[in-house]
Amino acid sequence: MSLNTNQTIIGQLHSSSVIHRHPANPLLSPKDVPYGPAMVFNAGVAKYEGKYVMVFRNDYGNATAETIEPASTTNLGLAFSDDGVHWDVQQQPVWSWNDEEVVRVYDPRLTVIDGRCYMCFAVDTKHGVRGGIAVTDDFNRFDVLSMSVPDNRNMVLFPERIGGKYVRLERPFPVYGRGGVDRFDTWLSDSPDLCYWGNSKLVLGVEDVPFANDKVGPGAPPIKTAQGWLTTFHAVDIDRARGKNGWEPAWRKRYSAGIMLLDLDDPSRIVGMSRTPLLAPEAEYETSGGFRNDVIFPGGMILEPSGEVKIYYGAADTVECLATADVDDLLRLCL
Ligand code: BMA
């Protein structure tokens, strides 16, 4: 069946059998955060100086499922962990950016490059959505290195330079150029210094993903394997027949996580991609009781020395979760 925007209805989706939701899910919920958010989700996670560190998104300070406030109450929280599963949440949110133009900062992604921790983030401004990159040495002070033009977000940095350049994946929003509807794709740019970005190339078009009809965008920062850069992406399908599915009057989208492998030397080239989702919303904390149900939004991916891959994701825009898989199984899915 076709919609008036040429969107084919996707239908039922299932998660891959190689991925396992952690029994401790959700790892973080609003009740774990001492300054009262109603939603805790879309975290960036990295291993930094011997610990796991997480910067997570908090929304709607005073809201409940019944009373939804504007999104301007978003802030970022910080947590540390010794095992990547049990998290010690810090008492205060981190980094409020006081700038006339900035409405809110959200969806952080962390990448360690040469021992320093960089954070990509989305910024709603009075003149559009921008993607920013900052560096921090203490998770208290964040120095902004670059800000994109609108509209762009979901930036993630590769953990090392490729061909001498820093590289990022990103998802610009070309509304006019894509027929006036959401048809958002995944792009790649490089930079000599993390400040000036260019050489932009298309990596993954939404039409290339069988379980998306609306948008695809970067998930967690890629991890390096001998076969290529392994990376998650979010894939969105819309069905206008969907109605109320969360705290809002209507929510018609579903966010799943996909996985692909990019060429080590030319990461704009896809070596392989799973044609079915890695994670589709199925667990109770992904499909019910949240602000926007049926949302899986990967933002952190860690390759352990054992070959286990930890994938952190926001669920239902309300809680933060973990799923694990063996790196060889993930590579087999792509190839
Ligand atoms: C996107 C972003 C994400 C969010 C998702 C689902 O546009 O705002 O932060 O998780 O929508 O609501």
Side-chain angles (χ1 to χ4, degrees):
M1 177 178 164
S2 231
L3 303 173
N4 56 5
T5 52
N6 287 330
Q7 282 153 320
T8 305
I9 293 194
I10 301 292
Q12 272 210 332
L13 292 175
H14 297 290
S15 307
S16 162
S17 60
V18 310
I19 191 141
H20 309 288
R21 288 169 174 81
H22 199 281
N25 276 350
L27 296 190
L28 275 193
S29 306
K31 65 172 171 31
D32 302 314
V33 177
Y35 36 88
M39 297 135 72
V40 168
F41 63 118
N42 294 4
V45 184
K47 259 187 179 171
Y48 181 70
E49 296 188 340
K51 274 191 175 279
Y52 296 80
V53 58
M54 176 189 285
V55 177
F56 56 90
R57 168 176 171 183
N58 305 292
D59 273 21
Y60 298 97
N62 301 314
T64 64
E66 286 74 42
T67 59
I68 303 171
E69 286 186 351
S72 58
T73 53
T74 298
N75 59 25
L76 299 180
L78 177 65
F80 294 102
S81 172
D82 291 324
D83 60 6
V85 175
H86 302 92
W87 291 88
D88 181 15
V89 176
Q90 304 301 289
Q91 288 302 308
Q92 297 296 329
V94 287
W95 193 41
S96 55
W97 187 358
N98 297 316
D99 182 303
E100 268 271 290
E101 190 60 24
V102 171
V103 178
R104 60 173 180 155
V105 172
Y106 58 102
D107 292 358
R109 267 83 162 217
L110 304 180
T111 304
V112 177
I113 309 174
D114 296 337
R116 291 196 85 191
C117 192
Y118 296 86
M119 184 172 80
C120 296
F121 49 92
V123 190
D124 287 353
T125 77
K126 291 178 184 163
H127 294 85
V129 182
R130 304 177 68 184
I133 301 174
V135 64
T136 184
D137 294 313
D138 57 6
F139 299 94
N140 179 32
R141 176 180 163 160
F142 289 80
D143 292 318
V144 177
L145 305 174
S146 79
M147 289 281 286
S148 76
V149 289
D151 278 348
N152 199 344
R153 70 174 169 211
N154 297 305
M155 288 173 182
V156 300
L157 285 170
F158 286 69
E160 57 186 72
R161 291 183 194 79
I162 302 169
K165 300 276 189 64
Y166 296 95
V167 182
R168 74 183 184 198
L169 296 168
E170 59 199 325
R171 196 200 72 190
F173 312 15
V175 175
Y176 291 137
R178 294 286 266 144
V181 292
D182 291 7
R183 298 290 283 168
F184 303 158
D185 315 296
T186 300
W187 289 70
L188 174 143
S189 300
D190 67 32
S191 170
D193 56 5
L194 290 163
C195 178
Y196 296 96
W197 291 90
N199 293 320
S200 302
K201 291 178 188 149
L202 177 68
V203 177
L204 180 67
V206 62
E207 66 282 2
D208 298 331
V209 178
F211 47 98
N213 65 14
D214 185 62
K215 46 190 168 186
V216 292
I223 59 173
K224 192 177 194 182
T225 73
Q227 281 88 338
W229 296 102
L230 189 60
T231 194
T232 53
F233 57 89
H234 61 261
V236 184
D237 75 280
I238 192 161
D239 181 343
R240 305 216 178 267
R242 293 182 189 136
K244 187 164 173 66
N245 189 18
W247 304 355
E248 295 175 303
W251 175 239
R252 300 198 162 84
K253 292 175 184 164
R254 168 175 54 186
Y255 279 63
S256 306
I259 187 133
M260 63 181 169
L261 188 67
L262 306 177
D263 185 79
L264 278 182
D265 301 320
D266 173 10
S268 69
R269 195 175 76 76
I270 298 174
V271 177
M273 180 191 81
S274 171
R275 297 189 56 80
T276 53
L278 177 64
L279 269 177
E282 286 171 308
E284 201 209 327
Y285 44 82
E286 297 159 355
T287 60
S288 64
F291 170 57
R292 287 176 171 171
N293 296 321
D294 294 329
V295 174
I296 285 182
F297 200 82
M301 187 175 191
I302 290 176
L303 174 58
E304 303 289 7
S306 65
E308 181 194 69
V309 177
K310 290 189 169 76
I311 296 174
Y312 295 88
Y313 63 100
D317 278 4
T318 303
V319 292
E320 184 64 25
C321 296
L322 170 64
T324 60
D326 185 86
V327 66
D328 291 329
D329 288 338
L330 294 177
L331 289 168
R332 265 192 292 274
L333 276 187
C334 296
L335 295 169

